[in-house]
Amino acid sequence: MCGIFSFISREPSSIATVLVEGLQKITYRGYDSVGVSVLHNEEHHVIKAVGNMDQLAPLMPKKSLQAHVGIGHIRWATNGSVSLQNAHPVASKHFALVHNGIISNIDDIAPRLPKISVLKGETDSEVVVHFCEHLWSNNRSSFFSLERAVELLEGSWALAIACTKNPESLLFARKQSPLIIGEAPEGFYLASDIGSMPDTVTELTFPEDGDYGFVNTKEIIVYNNKKEVVRPTSPHVTTQQTATKGSFSSFLLKEIHEQPDVVRSILKNNVQKTESSSFTPSFAESVRIRTARMHLIACGSSYYASLLGVHWLEKIANIAASPYIASEYYWQCAEDKMCAFISQSGETADILRLFSEPLKPKAKHTMCLINSAHSSLSRLVPRVIPLYAGVERSVASTKAFLSQITTLFLLACAWGGEEGRKHIAKLETLPTLLDTLIKGSYDFLATNIPPLLDINHYIFLSAENLYPIIVEGSLKMKELSYITSTAYTFDNMPFLHIHPHSMLIIVLNKDHEPLAHEALALALQDHAPFVIVITNGPSDLIPPHCLHLETPECDHLVFPMLATPFLQMIALVVAEHRGSCIDQPRNLAKSVTVE
Ligand code: G6P
């Protein structure tokens, strides 16, 4: 999705280089064009490219301009096609801006411009920059132009705006789209993603919905509804996680390997065996309120994690839980229930819209499970359970998904009384089991899964609590390889779908022997050319010509956590055979931040 990274330097400096470094850190979000603009000698020097950062690099000047202000953007085309004209920054005579979000009343705004002919592209953002220009021609104040603009605009926006008349100042505004300001000794950074903030940043300021203002070389001034306001700040804690792949061929593979440590981190931060409690004070506080019914609300992979959460909450904690895709949720009779939002980014628009008028929260109890600290969602919901997955740079989610299902399991244990708490022991062995499983698995799969390039249909099969992980496994296959892939439970499998051009991936709890027989007989009789069977521990049932992957012996309740890395690695190996771009698959956004 689109990303903003802008910089105002206290002293003149090589702004463009800083912008490129910052943007580089958010390329994982997915994008199709990129651009930067440096304000120098009362002129916006705009450089843009369609494609990726590699296309931008040759266009950069050999000698970077020394300036105070620069704005940068990666664009994921939603409103207007992928073109140089539509790429950001967009500029008028005095203004240049970068914009995330969608202006919904552009048809009312455009006719206010004196000359519509100035518009060269197709985006709402270009209308906004010319609208600011038009307002400025009347009042000669960039700040009042912005103030008037946000009064008249409708929709969602995060804006960073440079004006030639204020070479040491950067305007900003936000509504329903994330924007954070970071202060460092060298200056201020405005970014849509906390992950792009340099390590030098010491303090973060979080503008709220409807805020606008400016940052100069000394301070941040925030307004809302024509009144100056003070917004909360928090220290910037750097994650110490390197932005490099190390010895791994992709971030995705690296992040799959980080999963044992993610589970360790979840346990360390939430579980503590003392006489008075099994949990750390913060986790104990998060689970203090237990309701008999729950709604789990999420999108994409996080939604599939919720499906598993629903299963555990019912089986372990006896809570009647229902999963909802956020776009389909309307606070359905939610007064007496706990509404739990599950999100890697905490910025997914379909979730955030539930907190705005006229949908305002109708639940008495809300909580969220979020990986990205300081996200918009974490500021809207009182109980926040962090997921401890660390920064996920691959667009396709792996370790964040595992962190979500592990944390949901822990929640179910916490609400499951004495019996529930006994299951925590199953989590404690998980990191070591994951270590054993992941070690060497990728090399094994890369050697043993043949490059079946003519296979164009992948079928995932499972039963019971394994369905959510095969839907996620199937999604990983689609996301990484662009292959049609479908997940079925045994009971609902349309048999005709298995044919010589399909590959079958079966996840089986080895205690379900009748099902195993049925599935394998099916696979053989219908001639799927290649069959992979994943079981929890050894099984004699698997015919020799199937590729049999055994997780370490484990209880069926935690088998989903162990089968998941196998499914991730299968999708990765197939994608590599097909030559796909692993970390930034075509047309895949990390999180969808516009409705
Ligand atoms: C989009 C992405 C998915 C992601 C989903 C939810 O659909 O393409 O990969 O799982 O958003 O994102 P979130 O950040 O809310 O977990």
Side-chain angles (χ1 to χ4, degrees):
M1 279 273 111
C2 300
I4 289 175
F5 184 80
S6 300
F7 179 42
I8 167 145
S9 177
R10 295 188 206 270
E11 301 297 331
S13 65
S14 305
I15 299 275
T17 317
V18 178
L19 295 179
V20 169
E21 277 168 18
L23 290 175
Q24 200 82 50
K25 291 192 204 156
I26 48 173
T27 52
Y28 71 91
R29 295 166 67 98
Y31 66 111
D32 45 42
S33 60
V34 52
V36 296
S37 172
V38 173
L39 176 53
H40 184 256
N41 280 350
E42 288 211 20
E43 208 183 313
H44 297 295
H45 295 257
V46 182
I47 306 166
K48 305 198 267 195
V50 168
N52 59 29
M53 302 296 287
D54 293 343
Q55 269 78 53
L56 188 75
L59 307 174
M60 299 296 279
K62 294 256 167 339
K63 207 162 162 266
S64 200
L65 293 173
Q66 299 298 296
H68 283 284
V69 167
I71 54 179
H73 193 260
I74 52 170
R75 175 172 187 253
W76 170 283
T78 48
N79 199 351
S81 57
V82 182
S83 71
L84 208 53
Q85 214 50 261
N86 291 342
H88 297 210
V90 285
S92 58
K93 188 169 175 218
H94 296 98
F95 290 85
L97 68 78
V98 287
H99 169 217
N100 286 355
I102 292 181
I103 308 298
S104 54
N105 66 334
I106 218 66
D107 291 345
D108 302 332
I109 299 292
R112 290 171 176 251
L113 300 179
K115 275 192 263 164
I116 301 253
S117 58
V118 292
L119 301 175
K120 298 194 178 66
E122 308 153 301
T123 64
D124 49 348
S125 316
E126 196 189 358
V127 176
V128 175
V129 82
H130 286 286
F131 190 45
C132 288
E133 184 74 44
H134 167 61
L135 295 167
W136 183 87
S137 64
N138 295 331
N139 63 27
R140 303 278 151 171
S141 155
S142 58
F143 175 78
F144 288 123
S145 301
L146 175 66
E147 184 170 76
R148 182 74 182 130
V150 295
E151 210 179 346
L152 296 170
L153 295 178
E154 288 170 16
S156 60
W157 55 82
L159 288 163
I161 309 175
C163 176
T164 54
K165 296 293 175 192
N166 308 92
E168 295 184 17
S169 168
L170 201 51
L171 295 152
F172 67 87
R174 79 151 284 203
K175 188 185 160 214
Q176 289 168 24
S177 192
L179 190 70
I180 306 160
I181 305 171
E183 179 168 4
E186 67 276 17
F188 295 87
Y189 299 87
L190 272 79
S192 53
D193 189 319
I194 197 168
S196 61
M197 288 290 172
D199 286 353
T200 49
V201 167
T202 51
E203 190 173 76
L204 299 166
T205 300
F206 301 97
E208 293 177 8
D209 258 7
D211 283 358
Y212 56 93
F214 60 90
V215 184
N216 56 32
T217 54
K218 295 187 184 70
E219 59 187 343
I220 306 166
I221 304 292
V222 189
Y223 275 74
N224 191 303
N225 210 6
K226 302 192 177 163
K227 287 198 186 69
E228 193 172 341
V229 288
V230 177
R231 291 305 178 206
T233 59
S234 95
H236 180 226
V237 184
T238 52
T239 59
Q240 301 298 322
Q241 281 187 335
T242 59
T244 64
K245 291 182 268 201
S247 56
F248 294 98
S249 53
S250 59
F251 279 109
L252 191 104
L253 185 58
K254 178 177 177 239
E255 287 158 9
I256 289 173
H257 280 76
E258 285 169 354
Q259 294 180 114
D261 283 341
V262 169
V263 178
R264 281 188 187 99
S265 196
I266 291 170
L267 291 170
K268 188 172 130 229
N269 285 288
N270 296 323
V271 180
Q272 139 197 300
K273 294 267 165 62
T274 64
E275 274 171 30
S276 55
S277 167
S278 317
F279 302 113
T280 56
S282 64
F283 189 72
E285 175 56 26
S286 302
V287 298
R288 197 170 46 81
I289 295 165
R290 178 193 185 281
T291 52
R293 295 196 288 162
M294 273 186 85
H295 285 176
L296 271 58
I297 303 128
C299 296
S301 296
S302 304
Y303 172 71
Y304 296 145
S306 309
L307 297 183
L308 210 42
V310 164
H311 173 86
W312 287 321
L313 287 163
E314 292 193 346
K315 286 266 185 277
I316 303 175
N318 198 22
I319 290 175
S322 314
Y324 289 91
I325 297 176
S327 56
E328 308 299 311
Y329 194 68
Y330 300 95
W331 299 104
Q332 289 126 348
C333 317
E335 297 83 0
D336 61 333
K337 299 184 187 78
M338 172 71 78
C339 290
F341 299 89
I342 295 110
S343 175
Q344 191 287 124
S345 61
E347 301 294 354
T348 294
D350 281 342
I351 295 182
L352 297 184
R353 97 189 153 93
L354 292 166
F355 291 85
S356 61
E357 298 279 4
L359 280 169
K360 277 235 174 263
K362 292 201 185 104
K364 193 160 152 208
H365 308 296
T366 51
M367 68 190 301
C368 59
L369 277 61
I370 297 184
N371 190 39
S372 238
H374 305 303
S375 59
S376 302
L377 185 56
S378 66
R379 292 195 295 279
L380 290 166
V381 176
R383 274 172 228 91
V384 180
I385 302 188
L387 291 168
Y388 301 108
V391 178
E392 200 177 50
R393 294 209 175 267
S394 155
V395 173
S397 180
T398 54
K399 60 177 181 166
F401 176 78
L402 194 90
S403 72
Q404 290 168 336
I405 60 176
T406 307
T407 307
L408 285 163
F409 184 84
L410 195 58
L411 266 183
C413 295
W415 281 323
E418 275 310 302
E419 274 307 302
R421 283 171 207 214
K422 284 187 194 153
H423 293 302
I424 295 175
K426 291 172 187 158
L427 279 187
E428 281 161 357
T429 54
L430 196 57
T432 319
L433 299 182
L434 281 167
D435 274 332
T436 314
L437 182 147
I438 291 173
K439 203 166 153 219
S441 290
Y442 169 75
D443 289 340
F444 176 81
L445 289 169
T447 316
N448 286 283
I449 297 181
L452 297 166
L453 294 178
D454 59 331
I455 297 296
N456 48 27
H457 188 202
Y458 283 64
I459 298 170
F460 291 73
L461 268 177
S462 78
E464 292 217 351
N465 64 329
L466 297 165
Y467 179 67
I469 60 152
I470 62 156
V471 211
E472 168 62 10
S474 168
L475 176 68
K476 274 314 71 111
M477 188 66 79
K478 286 182 270 219
E479 287 179 341
L480 297 178
S481 300
Y482 327 117
I483 299 173
T484 312
S485 111
T486 326
Y488 299 107
T489 60
F490 288 114
D491 299 341
N492 296 300
M493 166 72 197
F495 298 143
L496 285 174
H497 278 202
I498 302 181
H499 51 68
H501 291 285
S502 46
M503 173 162 163
L504 203 57
I505 298 156
I506 304 173
V507 185
L508 273 184
N509 181 347
K510 72 188 171 76
D511 298 327
H512 294 149
E513 293 189 2
L515 281 175
H517 278 302
E518 201 178 307
L520 292 174
L522 240 178
L524 302 180
Q525 135 205 328
D526 288 309
H527 314 298
F530 198 71
V531 183
I532 301 178
V533 186
I534 303 173
T535 57
N536 47 341
S539 167
D540 299 335
L541 295 168
I542 317 301
H545 61 279
C546 297
L547 182 63
H548 182 198
L549 305 175
E550 287 171 30
T551 69
E553 291 257 19
C554 64
D555 184 276
H556 72 100
L557 278 177
V558 292
F559 180 35
M561 282 84 138
L562 285 160
T564 290
F566 271 145
L567 294 170
Q568 295 164 344
M569 281 190 272
I570 293 169
L572 168 62
V573 167
V574 171
E576 283 177 341
H577 283 326
R578 299 174 80 96
S580 305
C581 176
I582 302 298
D583 287 329
Q584 284 159 27
R586 163 163 54 88
N587 294 337
L588 185 68
K590 182 99 191 122
S591 62
V592 179
T593 51
V594 286
E595 280 183 54

